[in-house]
Amino acid sequence: MNGADWAGVAGAGGVFLFLIVVVWQFAATWRARMLAAREEQYKQLAAKYAELLEDNVELHRRTLEELTQARASITSMEKMMRSIE
């Protein structure tokens, strides 16, 4: 092999190495974008969960209020029934 052949081999190797680096960087960029999108989905899911939790707490509070009112009414009716006897 003479000098021109080695230059061709080195040039082809350089081109292949360059293409490998470009593909590698493209894949790394694509993966980073996918991870960022997944992170955004997790944030949305967490926000939705927090909202649902707040709604659940509000429903629980209302239920307790209604139960307290029902107990008070039942207690009042019991007193009234005992006073009638």
Side-chain angles (χ1 to χ4, degrees):
M1 291 180 105
N2 61 16
D5 291 339
W6 284 110
V9 169
V15 168
F16 285 126
L17 182 62
F18 176 75
L19 289 175
I20 289 170
V21 169
V22 167
V23 169
W24 190 282
Q25 289 301 314
F26 177 76
T29 302
W30 178 78
R31 184 171 185 256
R33 286 183 183 165
M34 291 297 114
L35 290 175
R38 185 182 302 163
E39 182 70 24
E40 184 61 31
Q41 288 174 344
Y42 285 144
K43 286 180 183 178
Q44 291 173 356
L45 186 62
K48 185 175 182 179
Y49 175 74
E51 182 182 333
L52 289 173
L53 185 61
E54 288 175 11
D55 292 345
N56 192 21
V57 168
E58 178 62 25
L59 286 173
H60 185 64
R61 185 192 61 78
R62 278 194 240 156
T63 303
L64 286 176
E65 279 181 9
E66 290 174 5
L67 183 60
T68 303
Q69 290 174 357
R71 284 183 180 169
S73 296
I74 290 171
T75 303
S76 174
M77 282 185 3
E78 284 178 349
K79 286 180 183 177
M80 184 178 67
M81 297 286 281
R82 287 187 182 143
S83 68
I84 291 175
E85 294 177 348

